[in-house]
Amino acid sequence: MKTCRFCGDNIHEFLDFGKQPIANAFIPPEQVGGDEYFFGMRLAFCPSCFLVQLVEQPSREMMFHENYAYFSSISRYMAEHFRRFALMVMDSYIDDDPLVVEIGSNDGIMLRNFAEAGVPSLGVEPSANVAEAARSRGIETICEFFDKDLAERIRSEKGEADAVLAANVMCHIPYLDSVFEGVTALLKPAGVLIFEDPYWGDILEKTSYDQIYDEHVFYFSLTAVSFLAERYGLEVIDVQPQPVHGGEMRYIIARKGAHKVSGMVEALREKEKRMRMGDLERMREFADSVARSRDDLIRTLTDLKKQGKRVAGYGATSKSTTVINYCGITTDLVEYISDTTPSKQGRFSPGAHIPIKPYEEFAAAYPDVALLFAWNHAEEIMKKERRFMEAGGRWLKYVPKVEIS
Ligand code: SAH
Ligand code: TYD
């Protein structure tokens, strides 16, 4: 039996996605047909600390490197989200001699707001290409993986931090003990760690199984995060649900007793009990819903093909890699995927090798149906795709259920 990556107790596997490639490893044409890395993607639950986790994860260097495909600033909506995040931090959590450190700062989508306000900040970003994009915007960035040693180096060179921020990265890091020790060492006595990640409660409720892929080694709930925090003398002082990335939770964490604890924390703890977040049987029900969702999607795509409809994917997300490979979608069912990210265009999707085409090709000859892989950006996309819909184009969605609209 395998053991929990955090607390060491026995974990229970409840969902097997079979062999999966690196979710963001979009393949250049000359490498199609060459060796491609796959790993067995299985999900497990720890009944002691409630951490939902991947049993196996590829090495960090295979996922985060100088050709990392995800540039955060591609979405205007996310830029606005991080502007508000930064304002909240500046309003509530910095003193007269501030320092803000961000883990996984990518192209500077969050820190640019501190730079513009003249608040000293430092990014930690191991993927060299996105780190370079941040630097070119004048944002100081250390191109390394965050851990305890680096945290201590930052403290000795820059002093203690008012806030350590992390968006969509804490769930990527398997060695949470080193991260939490580092953050605790880096923070001022009243400093805060604020992080947000896809919320396991949303994934359960929406059957959004496409949040499960190589980078996401952990799927957090408040119960699990409280367990982590306590180990380091910390506590969750607030929780704030976020509508981005299909449903996230923001956790604000501080040294025990340093801040007042919001009533939202107890309310969410109670809600998680009602949602049976500690119940292995609930995890098994989720696994059944995932299998049903896959069957519905394949049936719908096969029917569309029989009707002679052209189907294209919309958004070559990391999430789509799980859906495509788990459901067995090929170019037979989805002709190509449209994406606005230049570094993905002209490449092929990991595993199934569906071509990624520039958005302009989608707009120049609309397919009959667009399979919405970037469903987490639906609001932004629906606003700008009126012409597609007026031309008779339809959307195929699979979260929370498979349907054509
Ligand atoms: N915070 C951004 C980027 C999220 S993608 C946003 O929310 O849009 C995750 C980022 O974390 C990637 O840029 C990746 O290179 C970086 N990353 C992965 N492991 C890391 C680690 N151990 N320390 C710091 N950054 C890490
Ligand atoms: P996203 O859902 O943010 O990330 P993840 O990789 O974590 O699943 O990725 C959105 C992708 O969709 C990104 O490659 C850009 C693309 N995209 C479009 O092609 N058009 C759009 O209008 C938007 C918002 C995104």
Side-chain angles (χ1 to χ4, degrees), residues 57-106:
Q57 189 193 31
S59 75
R60 61 188 195 179
E61 288 78 12
M62 289 191 73
M63 300 183 288
F64 309 114
H65 41 63
E66 66 286 0
N67 290 315
Y68 187 57
Y70 186 70
F71 283 72
S72 301
S73 297
I74 207 85
S75 163
R76 295 224 310 264
Y77 191 85
M78 289 308 296
E80 175 56 19
H81 169 79
F82 286 119
R83 190 182 72 81
R84 284 203 232 118
F85 189 152
L87 285 180
M88 181 276 288
V89 174
M90 288 188 263
D91 279 350
S92 308
Y93 295 109
I94 61 172
D95 65 19
D96 305 339
D97 180 22
L99 174 66
V100 173
V101 175
E102 188 187 1
I103 306 173
S105 46
N106 201 275

Short mmCIF file of all heavy atoms in Angstrom, two decimals, residues 57-106:
data_model
loop_
_atom_site.label_atom_id
_atom_site.label_comp_id
_atom_site.label_asym_id
_atom_site.label_seq_id
_atom_site.Cartn_x
_atom_site.Cartn_y
_atom_site.Cartn_z
N GLN A 57 4.04 11.21 -9.91
CA GLN A 57 4.13 12.50 -10.61
C GLN A 57 5.47 12.56 -11.33
O GLN A 57 6.50 12.19 -10.75
CB GLN A 57 4.03 13.67 -9.61
CG GLN A 57 3.91 15.03 -10.30
CD GLN A 57 4.12 16.22 -9.37
OE1 GLN A 57 4.86 16.15 -8.40
NE2 GLN A 57 3.49 17.34 -9.68
N PRO A 58 5.49 13.04 -12.59
CA PRO A 58 6.77 13.19 -13.28
C PRO A 58 7.68 14.16 -12.52
O PRO A 58 7.20 14.96 -11.72
CB PRO A 58 6.37 13.78 -14.64
CG PRO A 58 4.91 13.50 -14.79
CD PRO A 58 4.35 13.47 -13.41
N SER A 59 8.98 14.13 -12.80
CA SER A 59 9.91 15.02 -12.09
C SER A 59 9.60 16.48 -12.43
O SER A 59 9.07 16.79 -13.50
CB SER A 59 11.35 14.70 -12.50
OG SER A 59 11.58 15.22 -13.79
N ARG A 60 9.95 17.39 -11.51
CA ARG A 60 9.61 18.80 -11.73
C ARG A 60 10.32 19.36 -12.96
O ARG A 60 9.76 20.20 -13.68
CB ARG A 60 9.94 19.62 -10.47
CG ARG A 60 11.40 19.59 -10.08
CD ARG A 60 11.61 20.25 -8.73
NE ARG A 60 13.03 20.54 -8.53
CZ ARG A 60 13.54 21.13 -7.46
NH1 ARG A 60 12.76 21.46 -6.46
NH2 ARG A 60 14.82 21.37 -7.35
N GLU A 61 11.52 18.87 -13.24
CA GLU A 61 12.26 19.40 -14.40
C GLU A 61 11.60 19.00 -15.73
O GLU A 61 11.79 19.66 -16.75
CB GLU A 61 13.72 18.91 -14.39
CG GLU A 61 14.59 19.55 -13.32
CD GLU A 61 14.36 18.97 -11.91
OE1 GLU A 61 13.67 17.92 -11.81
OE2 GLU A 61 14.84 19.56 -10.93
N MET A 62 10.85 17.90 -15.71
CA MET A 62 10.16 17.51 -16.95
C MET A 62 8.97 18.42 -17.22
O MET A 62 8.51 18.52 -18.36
CB MET A 62 9.65 16.07 -16.84
CG MET A 62 10.79 15.07 -16.87
SD MET A 62 10.19 13.41 -17.06
CE MET A 62 9.68 13.42 -18.77
N MET A 63 8.45 19.05 -16.17
CA MET A 63 7.25 19.88 -16.35
C MET A 63 7.56 21.37 -16.46
O MET A 63 6.90 22.10 -17.18
CB MET A 63 6.30 19.64 -15.17
CG MET A 63 5.85 18.19 -15.05
SD MET A 63 4.65 17.93 -13.72
CE MET A 63 5.66 18.09 -12.27
N PHE A 64 8.58 21.82 -15.71
CA PHE A 64 8.87 23.26 -15.63
C PHE A 64 10.29 23.53 -16.11
O PHE A 64 11.26 23.12 -15.46
CB PHE A 64 8.69 23.74 -14.18
CG PHE A 64 7.36 23.31 -13.60
CD1 PHE A 64 7.30 22.42 -12.54
CD2 PHE A 64 6.17 23.79 -14.14
CE1 PHE A 64 6.08 22.01 -12.02
CE2 PHE A 64 4.95 23.38 -13.63
CZ PHE A 64 4.91 22.49 -12.56
N HIS A 65 10.40 24.21 -17.25
CA HIS A 65 11.71 24.38 -17.88
C HIS A 65 11.66 25.59 -18.80
O HIS A 65 10.68 26.35 -18.77
CB HIS A 65 12.06 23.11 -18.67
CG HIS A 65 10.86 22.56 -19.40
ND1 HIS A 65 10.22 23.26 -20.38
CD2 HIS A 65 10.14 21.43 -19.22
CE1 HIS A 65 9.18 22.58 -20.82
NE2 HIS A 65 9.09 21.46 -20.12
N GLU A 66 12.68 25.73 -19.64
CA GLU A 66 12.80 26.95 -20.45
C GLU A 66 11.77 27.01 -21.60
O GLU A 66 11.67 28.02 -22.29
CB GLU A 66 14.24 27.11 -20.97
CG GLU A 66 14.73 26.06 -21.96
CD GLU A 66 15.05 24.70 -21.32
OE1 GLU A 66 14.91 24.53 -20.10
OE2 GLU A 66 15.44 23.79 -22.09
N ASN A 67 11.03 25.92 -21.80
CA ASN A 67 9.99 25.96 -22.83
C ASN A 67 8.60 25.78 -22.24
O ASN A 67 7.73 25.18 -22.86
CB ASN A 67 10.22 24.86 -23.87
CG ASN A 67 11.44 25.15 -24.71
OD1 ASN A 67 11.61 26.28 -25.17
ND2 ASN A 67 12.30 24.15 -24.88
N TYR A 68 8.40 26.26 -21.03
CA TYR A 68 7.10 26.08 -20.38
C TYR A 68 6.02 26.77 -21.21
O TYR A 68 6.17 27.95 -21.59
CB TYR A 68 7.15 26.65 -18.96
CG TYR A 68 5.92 26.35 -18.14
CD1 TYR A 68 5.50 25.04 -17.93
CD2 TYR A 68 5.16 27.37 -17.58
CE1 TYR A 68 4.36 24.76 -17.18
CE2 TYR A 68 4.03 27.11 -16.82
CZ TYR A 68 3.64 25.80 -16.63
OH TYR A 68 2.52 25.53 -15.89
N ALA A 69 4.92 26.05 -21.49
CA ALA A 69 3.95 26.57 -22.48
C ALA A 69 2.97 27.59 -21.93
O ALA A 69 2.35 28.33 -22.68
CB ALA A 69 3.19 25.39 -23.09
N TYR A 70 2.81 27.64 -20.61
CA TYR A 70 1.72 28.46 -20.06
C TYR A 70 2.16 29.86 -19.67
O TYR A 70 2.93 30.04 -18.73
CB TYR A 70 1.09 27.75 -18.85
CG TYR A 70 -0.13 28.46 -18.33
CD1 TYR A 70 -1.31 28.48 -19.05
CD2 TYR A 70 -0.10 29.13 -17.12
CE1 TYR A 70 -2.44 29.14 -18.59
CE2 TYR A 70 -1.22 29.79 -16.63
CZ TYR A 70 -2.38 29.80 -17.38
OH TYR A 70 -3.49 30.46 -16.91
N PHE A 71 1.70 30.85 -20.42
CA PHE A 71 1.96 32.26 -20.09
C PHE A 71 0.68 32.82 -19.47
O PHE A 71 -0.34 32.96 -20.14
CB PHE A 71 2.31 33.05 -21.36
CG PHE A 71 3.72 32.83 -21.82
CD1 PHE A 71 4.09 31.62 -22.40
CD2 PHE A 71 4.69 33.81 -21.67
CE1 PHE A 71 5.40 31.40 -22.82
CE2 PHE A 71 6.01 33.59 -22.09
CZ PHE A 71 6.36 32.39 -22.66
N SER A 72 0.76 33.15 -18.17
CA SER A 72 -0.45 33.55 -17.44
C SER A 72 -1.17 34.73 -18.07
O SER A 72 -2.39 34.81 -18.04
CB SER A 72 -0.07 33.92 -16.01
OG SER A 72 0.54 32.83 -15.37
N SER A 73 -0.39 35.68 -18.62
CA SER A 73 -1.00 36.94 -19.07
C SER A 73 -1.81 36.80 -20.35
O SER A 73 -2.35 37.78 -20.86
CB SER A 73 0.07 38.02 -19.25
OG SER A 73 0.67 38.27 -18.00
N ILE A 74 -1.93 35.57 -20.86
CA ILE A 74 -2.72 35.36 -22.08
C ILE A 74 -4.19 35.72 -21.86
O ILE A 74 -4.90 36.06 -22.79
CB ILE A 74 -2.55 33.89 -22.57
CG1 ILE A 74 -2.75 33.77 -24.06
CG2 ILE A 74 -3.44 32.93 -21.83
CD1 ILE A 74 -1.53 34.05 -24.86
N SER A 75 -4.64 35.67 -20.60
CA SER A 75 -6.04 35.96 -20.31
C SER A 75 -6.20 37.33 -19.64
O SER A 75 -5.65 37.57 -18.57
CB SER A 75 -6.64 34.87 -19.43
OG SER A 75 -7.83 35.32 -18.84
N ARG A 76 -6.97 38.20 -20.28
CA ARG A 76 -7.22 39.54 -19.71
C ARG A 76 -8.02 39.42 -18.41
O ARG A 76 -7.84 40.18 -17.48
CB ARG A 76 -8.00 40.40 -20.72
CG ARG A 76 -7.21 40.68 -21.98
CD ARG A 76 -7.33 42.14 -22.41
NE ARG A 76 -8.70 42.60 -22.45
CZ ARG A 76 -9.47 42.63 -23.55
NH1 ARG A 76 -8.97 42.21 -24.69
NH2 ARG A 76 -10.69 43.10 -23.52
N TYR A 77 -8.88 38.43 -18.40
CA TYR A 77 -9.73 38.20 -17.23
C TYR A 77 -8.87 37.83 -16.02
O TYR A 77 -9.07 38.31 -14.91
CB TYR A 77 -10.67 37.04 -17.59
CG TYR A 77 -11.80 36.79 -16.64
CD1 TYR A 77 -13.00 37.49 -16.76
CD2 TYR A 77 -11.70 35.81 -15.66
CE1 TYR A 77 -14.05 37.24 -15.91
CE2 TYR A 77 -12.75 35.54 -14.80
CZ TYR A 77 -13.93 36.26 -14.93
OH TYR A 77 -14.97 36.00 -14.09
N MET A 78 -7.86 36.98 -16.26
CA MET A 78 -6.96 36.59 -15.16
C MET A 78 -6.10 37.78 -14.73
O MET A 78 -5.78 37.92 -13.55
CB MET A 78 -6.07 35.40 -15.57
CG MET A 78 -6.80 34.07 -15.70
SD MET A 78 -7.80 33.62 -14.26
CE MET A 78 -6.56 33.45 -12.99
N ALA A 79 -5.73 38.62 -15.68
CA ALA A 79 -4.94 39.81 -15.33
C ALA A 79 -5.74 40.68 -14.36
O ALA A 79 -5.21 41.21 -13.37
CB ALA A 79 -4.57 40.59 -16.60
N GLU A 80 -7.03 40.81 -14.62
CA GLU A 80 -7.89 41.61 -13.74
C GLU A 80 -8.04 40.91 -12.37
O GLU A 80 -8.01 41.56 -11.32
CB GLU A 80 -9.26 41.80 -14.43
CG GLU A 80 -10.32 42.50 -13.61
CD GLU A 80 -9.91 43.89 -13.10
OE1 GLU A 80 -8.97 44.48 -13.64
OE2 GLU A 80 -10.54 44.36 -12.11
N HIS A 81 -8.16 39.60 -12.41
CA HIS A 81 -8.25 38.83 -11.15
C HIS A 81 -7.02 39.10 -10.27
O HIS A 81 -7.14 39.37 -9.07
CB HIS A 81 -8.37 37.33 -11.49
CG HIS A 81 -8.22 36.42 -10.32
ND1 HIS A 81 -9.25 36.19 -9.44
CD2 HIS A 81 -7.16 35.69 -9.86
CE1 HIS A 81 -8.84 35.36 -8.48
NE2 HIS A 81 -7.57 35.04 -8.72
N PHE A 82 -5.84 39.05 -10.89
CA PHE A 82 -4.62 39.24 -10.10
C PHE A 82 -4.40 40.70 -9.70
O PHE A 82 -3.75 40.97 -8.70
CB PHE A 82 -3.41 38.66 -10.85
CG PHE A 82 -3.39 37.15 -10.82
CD1 PHE A 82 -3.45 36.40 -11.98
CD2 PHE A 82 -3.35 36.47 -9.60
CE1 PHE A 82 -3.46 35.01 -11.94
CE2 PHE A 82 -3.36 35.08 -9.55
CZ PHE A 82 -3.42 34.35 -10.72
N ARG A 83 -4.95 41.62 -10.47
CA ARG A 83 -4.88 43.04 -10.06
C ARG A 83 -5.65 43.21 -8.75
O ARG A 83 -5.19 43.81 -7.80
CB ARG A 83 -5.46 43.94 -11.17
CG ARG A 83 -5.22 45.42 -10.93
CD ARG A 83 -5.86 46.27 -12.02
NE ARG A 83 -7.31 46.29 -11.90
CZ ARG A 83 -8.01 47.06 -11.05
NH1 ARG A 83 -7.37 47.90 -10.27
NH2 ARG A 83 -9.33 47.00 -11.00
N ARG A 84 -6.83 42.59 -8.69
CA ARG A 84 -7.65 42.71 -7.47
C ARG A 84 -7.01 41.97 -6.30
O ARG A 84 -7.07 42.42 -5.16
CB ARG A 84 -9.06 42.17 -7.73
CG ARG A 84 -9.85 43.17 -8.53
CD ARG A 84 -11.34 42.97 -8.35
NE ARG A 84 -11.93 42.88 -9.66
CZ ARG A 84 -12.57 41.83 -10.14
NH1 ARG A 84 -12.78 40.79 -9.39
NH2 ARG A 84 -13.05 41.84 -11.36
N PHE A 85 -6.40 40.83 -6.60
CA PHE A 85 -5.69 40.05 -5.57
C PHE A 85 -4.60 40.95 -4.96
O PHE A 85 -4.49 41.11 -3.73
CB PHE A 85 -5.09 38.81 -6.25
CG PHE A 85 -4.49 37.76 -5.34
CD1 PHE A 85 -4.46 36.41 -5.74
CD2 PHE A 85 -3.93 38.07 -4.10
CE1 PHE A 85 -3.91 35.43 -4.92
CE2 PHE A 85 -3.36 37.09 -3.28
CZ PHE A 85 -3.34 35.77 -3.70
N ALA A 86 -3.79 41.58 -5.84
CA ALA A 86 -2.68 42.42 -5.36
C ALA A 86 -3.20 43.60 -4.55
O ALA A 86 -2.62 43.95 -3.51
CB ALA A 86 -1.85 42.90 -6.56
N LEU A 87 -4.30 44.21 -4.99
CA LEU A 87 -4.86 45.35 -4.24
C LEU A 87 -5.29 44.92 -2.85
O LEU A 87 -5.07 45.62 -1.86
CB LEU A 87 -6.07 45.94 -4.99
CG LEU A 87 -5.75 46.76 -6.23
CD1 LEU A 87 -7.04 47.27 -6.87
CD2 LEU A 87 -4.83 47.94 -5.89
N MET A 88 -5.89 43.73 -2.76
CA MET A 88 -6.33 43.21 -1.46
C MET A 88 -5.12 43.05 -0.52
O MET A 88 -5.16 43.43 0.65
CB MET A 88 -7.04 41.86 -1.70
CG MET A 88 -7.60 41.15 -0.48
SD MET A 88 -6.39 40.16 0.41
CE MET A 88 -6.13 38.78 -0.70
N VAL A 89 -4.01 42.54 -1.08
CA VAL A 89 -2.80 42.36 -0.26
C VAL A 89 -2.27 43.72 0.19
O VAL A 89 -1.94 43.92 1.36
CB VAL A 89 -1.71 41.58 -1.06
CG1 VAL A 89 -0.41 41.50 -0.28
CG2 VAL A 89 -2.22 40.18 -1.43
N MET A 90 -2.22 44.67 -0.76
CA MET A 90 -1.68 46.00 -0.41
C MET A 90 -2.56 46.71 0.61
O MET A 90 -2.08 47.40 1.49
CB MET A 90 -1.51 46.85 -1.68
CG MET A 90 -0.36 46.36 -2.54
SD MET A 90 0.01 47.46 -3.91
CE MET A 90 -0.86 46.70 -5.25
N ASP A 91 -3.87 46.51 0.50
CA ASP A 91 -4.81 47.16 1.43
C ASP A 91 -4.72 46.58 2.83
O ASP A 91 -4.89 47.28 3.81
CB ASP A 91 -6.26 46.96 0.96
CG ASP A 91 -6.61 47.95 -0.12
OD1 ASP A 91 -5.80 48.88 -0.34
OD2 ASP A 91 -7.68 47.79 -0.75
N SER A 92 -4.49 45.27 2.94
CA SER A 92 -4.68 44.61 4.24
C SER A 92 -3.43 44.03 4.88
O SER A 92 -3.43 43.76 6.07
CB SER A 92 -5.70 43.48 4.11
OG SER A 92 -6.88 43.94 3.52
N TYR A 93 -2.40 43.74 4.10
CA TYR A 93 -1.35 42.91 4.68
C TYR A 93 0.08 43.42 4.55
O TYR A 93 1.02 42.65 4.71
CB TYR A 93 -1.44 41.48 4.10
CG TYR A 93 -2.72 40.78 4.49
CD1 TYR A 93 -3.73 40.53 3.56
CD2 TYR A 93 -2.94 40.37 5.81
CE1 TYR A 93 -4.91 39.90 3.92
CE2 TYR A 93 -4.12 39.73 6.18
CZ TYR A 93 -5.09 39.51 5.23
OH TYR A 93 -6.26 38.89 5.60
N ILE A 94 0.29 44.70 4.22
CA ILE A 94 1.69 45.16 4.17
C ILE A 94 1.91 46.32 5.14
O ILE A 94 1.01 47.10 5.40
CB ILE A 94 2.15 45.54 2.74
CG1 ILE A 94 1.32 46.68 2.17
CG2 ILE A 94 2.13 44.34 1.81
CD1 ILE A 94 1.88 47.20 0.86
N ASP A 95 3.16 46.40 5.67
CA ASP A 95 3.47 47.51 6.58
C ASP A 95 4.27 48.61 5.87
O ASP A 95 4.30 48.65 4.63
CB ASP A 95 4.13 46.98 7.87
CG ASP A 95 5.50 46.36 7.58
OD1 ASP A 95 6.07 46.64 6.51
OD2 ASP A 95 6.00 45.60 8.44
N ASP A 96 4.98 49.47 6.63
CA ASP A 96 5.66 50.63 6.01
C ASP A 96 6.95 50.26 5.28
O ASP A 96 7.48 51.06 4.51
CB ASP A 96 6.05 51.66 7.09
CG ASP A 96 4.86 52.07 7.92
OD1 ASP A 96 3.74 51.90 7.41
OD2 ASP A 96 5.05 52.54 9.06
N ASP A 97 7.47 49.08 5.58
CA ASP A 97 8.72 48.67 4.96
C ASP A 97 8.49 47.30 4.31
O ASP A 97 8.99 46.28 4.77
CB ASP A 97 9.81 48.59 6.05
CG ASP A 97 11.15 48.18 5.48
OD1 ASP A 97 11.35 48.36 4.26
OD2 ASP A 97 11.98 47.65 6.25
N PRO A 98 7.68 47.30 3.26
CA PRO A 98 7.13 46.01 2.79
C PRO A 98 8.04 45.19 1.89
O PRO A 98 8.93 45.72 1.22
CB PRO A 98 5.88 46.43 2.02
CG PRO A 98 6.18 47.81 1.52
CD PRO A 98 7.17 48.42 2.46
N LEU A 99 7.77 43.89 1.90
CA LEU A 99 8.33 42.98 0.90
C LEU A 99 7.28 41.91 0.62
O LEU A 99 6.73 41.29 1.54
CB LEU A 99 9.61 42.30 1.39
CG LEU A 99 10.17 41.22 0.44
CD1 LEU A 99 10.65 41.84 -0.88
CD2 LEU A 99 11.31 40.42 1.08
N VAL A 100 7.00 41.73 -0.68
CA VAL A 100 6.05 40.68 -1.09
C VAL A 100 6.82 39.69 -1.95
O VAL A 100 7.55 40.08 -2.87
CB VAL A 100 4.89 41.31 -1.90
CG1 VAL A 100 4.00 40.22 -2.49
CG2 VAL A 100 4.07 42.25 -1.02
N VAL A 101 6.69 38.40 -1.64
CA VAL A 101 7.36 37.36 -2.42
C VAL A 101 6.29 36.50 -3.07
O VAL A 101 5.31 36.12 -2.41
CB VAL A 101 8.26 36.48 -1.51
CG1 VAL A 101 8.87 35.31 -2.29
CG2 VAL A 101 9.38 37.33 -0.88
N GLU A 102 6.46 36.21 -4.36
CA GLU A 102 5.49 35.31 -5.01
C GLU A 102 6.18 34.04 -5.49
O GLU A 102 7.21 34.09 -6.17
CB GLU A 102 4.77 35.99 -6.18
CG GLU A 102 3.64 35.07 -6.69
CD GLU A 102 2.94 35.53 -7.95
OE1 GLU A 102 3.30 36.58 -8.50
OE2 GLU A 102 2.03 34.80 -8.40
N ILE A 103 5.59 32.92 -5.16
CA ILE A 103 6.07 31.62 -5.63
C ILE A 103 5.31 31.30 -6.93
O ILE A 103 4.09 31.41 -6.98
CB ILE A 103 5.77 30.52 -4.58
CG1 ILE A 103 6.34 30.89 -3.21
CG2 ILE A 103 6.29 29.16 -5.05
CD1 ILE A 103 5.93 29.92 -2.09
N GLY A 104 6.05 30.93 -7.99
CA GLY A 104 5.39 30.60 -9.26
C GLY A 104 4.84 31.86 -9.92
O GLY A 104 3.69 31.89 -10.35
N SER A 105 5.69 32.88 -10.04
CA SER A 105 5.22 34.20 -10.48
C SER A 105 5.04 34.29 -12.00
O SER A 105 4.56 35.31 -12.51
CB SER A 105 6.19 35.28 -9.99
OG SER A 105 7.53 34.87 -10.23
N ASN A 106 5.45 33.24 -12.72
CA ASN A 106 5.23 33.15 -14.16
C ASN A 106 5.68 34.44 -14.86
O ASN A 106 6.79 34.91 -14.62
CB ASN A 106 3.77 32.79 -14.44
CG ASN A 106 3.54 32.20 -15.82
OD1 ASN A 106 3.38 32.94 -16.78
ND2 ASN A 106 3.58 30.88 -15.93
#
